[in-house]
Amino acid sequence: MLRWVRQQLGFDPPHQSDTRTIYIANRFPQHGHYVPQKFADNRIISSKYTVWNFVPKNLFEQFRRVANFYFLIIFLVQLMIDTPTSPITSGLPLFFVITVTAIKQGYEDWLRHKADNEVNGAPVYVVRSGGLVKTRSKNIRVGDIVRVAKDETFPVDLVLLSSDRVDGSCHVTTASLDGETNLKTHVAVPETAVLQSVANLDKLVAVIECQQPEADLYRFVGRITVSQQAEEIVRPLGPESLLLRGARLKNTKEIFGVAVYTGMETKMALNYKSKSQKRSAVEKSMNSFLIIYLIILLFEAILSTILKYAWQAEEKWDEPWYNEKTEHERNSSKILRFISDFLAFLVLYNFIIPISLYVTVEMQKFLGSFFIGWDLDLYHEETNQRAQVNTSDLNEELGQVEYVFTDKTGTLTENEMQFRECSINGIKYQEVNGKLTPEGFSEDSPDGNRHGLVKEEELFLKAVCLCHTVQINADQTDGADGPWHANGITSPLEYYASSPDEKALVEAASRVGVVFTGISGDSMEVKSLGKPERYKLLHVLEFDPNRRRMSVIVESPSGEKLLFTKGAESSILPRSKSGEIDKTRIHVDEFALKGLRTLCVAYRRFTPEEYQEVGKRLQEARTALQQREERLADVFNFIERDLELLGATGVEDKLQEKVQETIEALRLAGIKVWVLTGDKHETAVSVSLSCGHFHRTMNILELVQHKSDSTCAEQLRQLAKRIKEDHVIQHGLVVDGTSLSLALREHEKLFMEVCKNCSAVLCCRMAPLQKAKVVRLLKTSPEKPITLAIGDGANDVSMIQEAHVGIGIMGKEGRQAVRNSDYAIARFKFLSKLLFVHGHFYYIRIATLVQYFFYKNVCFITPQFLYQFFCLFSQQTLYDSVYLTLYNICFTSLPVLIYSLFEQHVHPHVLQSKPVLYRDISKNAHLGFKPFLYWTVLGFFHAFVFFYGSYLLMGEDTSLLGNGQILKPNRQMMFGNWTFGTLVFTVMVITVTMKMALETHFWTWINHFVTWGSIVFYFIFSLFYGGIIWPFLHTQDMYFVFVQLLSSGSAWFAIILIVVACLFIDVVKKVLYRHLQPTSTEKAQLTEAGSGINCLDSMCCFSDGETACTSVRRMLERLMGRCSPTRVNRSWSSSDPFYANDRSILTLSTMDSATC
């Protein structure tokens, strides 16, 4: 227990060394002073809470919020001192908010617990005591030998010991880890591969030494020492020996493996990386508004306290006859009394801070996020993929994007490669009817109809067929006995590959006569024009991003040792010493200008002495436990030199549908697009031109191939000067990775100045971390623009996590980008609707929600402040405590919530077809200081009208007598504090609800139900609350007050007059602004004759030629039910440029011009 506590506090880390020693089958040495290492159990824990810590942990997290903590303090003050309102008035809303949030978070965590229990309780088979024992997954220990059958997932990270195959190999798919659906081959060491039975494995005596757990899925360093007949054999272990938890066994009957990492130390669990919390601009504005309102609250409380003591300076008001002080009050300290009074006023006015704002915003974000997944326009039928929301906290941020950073391959393009051209021995070739044809030749030309392949062509194609990681579908029968075509090619095999480039090249080689037919044991089989050849696979030099190449060492049928290498031209050409290097370089540049992805292919022949040296160095590097990667990199560089260049390939990656239109729409919306790619300069520029990122008329500036700070700085200064001179035309900037590193090192400001003055920026040859660095650079610039990053591969994850909004494309490069993103879509073209429609709506909705909440609370509490001037600042409350409690929870909460879910101030089709409307909401336009000031001033204005309107109208009634009584036939009613307060409260509830109705443009039956239903509910509740004597209430000040109030004709007159007076000013302001200063959005709401839409479902919308009175008349007609959305029909012409067939779930009702 003490050790566990020390570990939790960080004083006693469980792993002191860099490596761990695992005794297979837990056969620990019997001699010596061996102390077993402590390893984690195999339980997966994704839950956040336990039964014991849920209440304290959840409460701690919730009270970290300013508003919640503030209301807790107010509640405690009410408990400690004599305050004008009951502690229930602040305690009940606080309890409601805390409870709702806790229930939501508790339910989500219960689901996580349920999922964890299913995983941890899954049955598994473990080798113990010479037999297979069935147990639960959570009981597996490090060192246990586990059996996994076909199509089962691995319950722990295992080192493969043996399989049902003689060579100890198995096939695995890691789709659940990285999304790659191709089959990966894993191999056991020869000494354990032969142990295929439980009995043999039970006798195995071996020790594994490996690194401590780390998150990298593709890195594993270890070695296994097998004891055989008093001899110890040491073999290296790498990623090819490690079977990861979550991966699935395929095309293999069963395997046995030893558990090396368990539970939360498995690579899958370590990749459950908690993303840094992103906060939207709206949330930051909300916090600023809370602080301003807190200042207003403190000002009102201090002013009221000072005025109270100023008033009590006169003796007659200090201790009036009806309110004599006690002896204790007379003798108490003036400072303590001042503090007590200040706290009492603070409690009285505390509802100016909207406690329910947080919970309403959370509900709006959570429920609103479902609309993205339900939107059929974001559904991709071919892949059966819907849009996905991973975090709902950033919905409104989609409406504020200023910069889009996009990957190229798989994001702008399909990531479906098609072989187009190649260069062999300095001659360009194209594929024509399944034959390689030199450029300039055709089948009709005298030399065009050739038979067979020349030696260089055949060697090039064999290199392509041998140097790869392609797998063949194991269920597919071997083509050896199948029918042969005339040119000796079998029917096409089905290939799987992690790299689409490799698959395209192997398929192209098979079409022209050199077919890769699979791997058998340690041999690769190839058929060249029908003649089978077997190459022994000696070593694989894996691809890595630093080398940008991969190699294989094989033994040819003649016994010759050959190295075949393929990779980027920048990593192959400098290492080549012979071949047509210059011609190939020219051809590679030509391929790149056509937008093709290029690879160079080379080979090297080893003498026996050279190969012996290579084998020795590789063995030493691969068995090293320390710095294995660095040693391997050195050995690989030693091997991959003095190459003979064979040629180059050109593969086309087709552009995705509607990429050009989407980029143009983003540009019209005022969003700058940056393309960040790892491709070479020429390829990237060609694709940028074809997708519309660069225009043909654009002046392309280049910052490439700089090796020193001085030349880079000079070039940047020249570019800045050139942009100033040619400021009329648009500029595009191309920068490569090396130049970018130099520019960011010491010339960051100059670089940013050049970039911001360019319409489009293309960064090529970028490393993943460089992508993130560029995003961070712009994100933290003085303007602090909102950034969005979109990509489909693991190399885009850092960029996606760095940007304000990260979007993953569900592409062919795995699911890592999707898992780490905030939103996921199937195609780049869907970005336009995500931003222009969903982003626009979410921002408008939440901006109105936040400001409306502050407005209605100002309306609520200001009359309370004004009332103190009429009651000698005695802290008498204007409203009954039940009304204080239910105002934000029941009477005014639903209309704004429904508005924030369904509001559409412009039809989705209009928003998408007119991207320029996006500019109207950019830079937080609706949540800036001016709109906030308008809503606050409006709140104070309405509050003054509520209070003084009620006071003047009822005070001037001729039936009022000096003693405050109204004469009625046969009965009397006291027109006092509670009657006046109820009148003000009634006017307020109706006005703030009608104000929300005025803001609503899109009416559904739900809006009607909650808007008018809220008012009806208030009246019904008040009648029941005041009309019945409730036995559980110790006082009932409101008894019969509401009934008597409504029985007064002057009260009804006052209610109607005050509500109309408040809202009339607002309607006039809206109408005048639409006439005199209409925004682009308001102009879009008005229609043109041929657009198929004449008016929107809005209370404040009028077309050209209409008067303001017409729109008001239409508003009244709608209020009286004469314009029903259910009878309305919106029509769109099929020629509209974006999504003519709008199937959005957002379109809840439609409109026809004839109706309004």
Side-chain angles (χ1 to χ4, degrees), residues 705-714 738-739 742-743 745 747:
Q705 294 179 347
H706 288 285
K707 298 289 190 292
S708 67
D709 276 340
S710 55
T711 58
C712 183
E714 180 58 33
T738 53
S739 304
L742 294 170
R745 196 180 299 163
H747 316 291

Side-chain angles (χ1 to χ4, degrees), residues 786-822:
I786 303 298
T787 58
L788 179 148
I790 179 168
D792 72 318
N795 60 331
D796 303 315
V797 168
S798 53
M799 169 177 80
I800 285 170
Q801 289 184 333
E802 184 62 47
H804 291 96
V805 183
I807 296 185
I809 296 283
M810 303 169 189
K812 297 181 176 65
E813 286 193 27
R815 286 290 183 274
Q816 283 195 34
V818 171
R819 283 206 314 273
N820 288 279
S821 65
D822 304 306

Side-chain angles (χ1 to χ4, degrees), residues 505-524:
L505 292 174
V506 172
E507 285 176 343
S510 70
R511 290 195 298 270
V512 298
V514 180
V515 185
F516 169 63
T517 56
I519 298 177
S520 175
D522 60 354
S523 297
M524 300 181 78

Side-chain angles (χ1 to χ4, degrees), residues 16-230:
Q16 299 291 348
S17 64
D18 294 331
T19 61
R20 57 169 53 186
T21 304
I22 299 154
Y23 291 87
I24 293 179
N26 292 305
R27 286 196 180 85
F28 303 115
Q30 301 301 316
H31 55 279
H33 301 285
Y34 171 71
V35 179
Q37 286 179 285
K38 298 287 185 182
F39 301 118
D41 59 29
N42 199 39
R43 286 179 303 157
I44 286 290
I45 302 169
S46 62
S47 55
K48 191 175 181 180
Y49 306 106
T50 65
V51 175
W52 309 109
N53 72 9
F54 174 72
V55 173
K57 193 173 181 180
N58 188 264
L59 287 177
F60 173 73
E61 288 173 352
Q62 292 208 53
F63 284 118
R64 285 165 68 185
R65 285 182 162 172
V66 176
N68 290 352
F69 184 71
Y70 162 77
F71 267 86
L72 178 65
I73 296 297
I74 293 293
F75 176 64
L76 295 175
V77 168
Q78 286 177 296
L79 290 175
M80 288 187 290
I81 66 169
D82 183 23
T83 56
T85 58
S86 164
I88 295 173
T89 56
S90 57
L92 190 62
L94 178 64
F95 176 77
F96 173 76
V97 169
I98 296 294
T99 305
V100 168
T101 308
I103 289 170
K104 172 181 170 282
Q105 293 177 349
Y107 174 70
E108 288 174 351
D109 205 61
W110 175 76
L111 292 177
R112 286 192 284 267
H113 270 284
K114 192 177 173 184
D116 288 348
N117 290 337
E118 282 182 20
V119 172
N120 295 331
V124 293
Y125 287 93
V126 178
V127 176
R128 283 181 188 159
S129 305
L132 274 179
V133 178
K134 187 176 181 180
T135 184
R136 294 181 181 276
S137 174
K138 63 182 179 183
N139 297 329
I140 298 175
R141 299 167 298 171
V142 170
D144 281 344
I145 299 175
V146 182
R147 192 204 77 168
V148 180
K150 183 180 179 182
D151 291 327
E152 290 181 354
T153 55
F154 301 115
V156 289
D157 286 355
L158 301 165
V159 165
L160 180 60
L161 295 177
S162 66
S163 71
D164 61 322
R165 299 180 182 181
V166 180
D167 60 354
S169 67
C170 69
H171 294 299
V172 169
T173 175
T174 56
S176 62
L177 295 173
D178 57 14
E180 293 180 3
T181 54
N182 62 296
L183 297 179
K184 295 182 173 69
T185 304
H186 291 259
V187 188
V189 297
E191 285 70 24
T192 63
V194 296
L195 307 175
Q196 294 179 307
S197 67
V198 174
N200 289 335
L201 283 166
D202 194 49
K203 298 172 187 172
L204 174 64
V205 178
V207 180
I208 291 175
E209 292 172 89
C210 62
Q211 62 186 151
Q212 294 292 4
E214 65 168 37
D216 191 341
L217 294 174
Y218 310 106
R219 185 174 184 270
F220 178 67
V221 178
R223 66 183 172 209
I224 183 170
T225 306
V226 183
S227 300
Q228 284 184 349
Q229 300 165 355

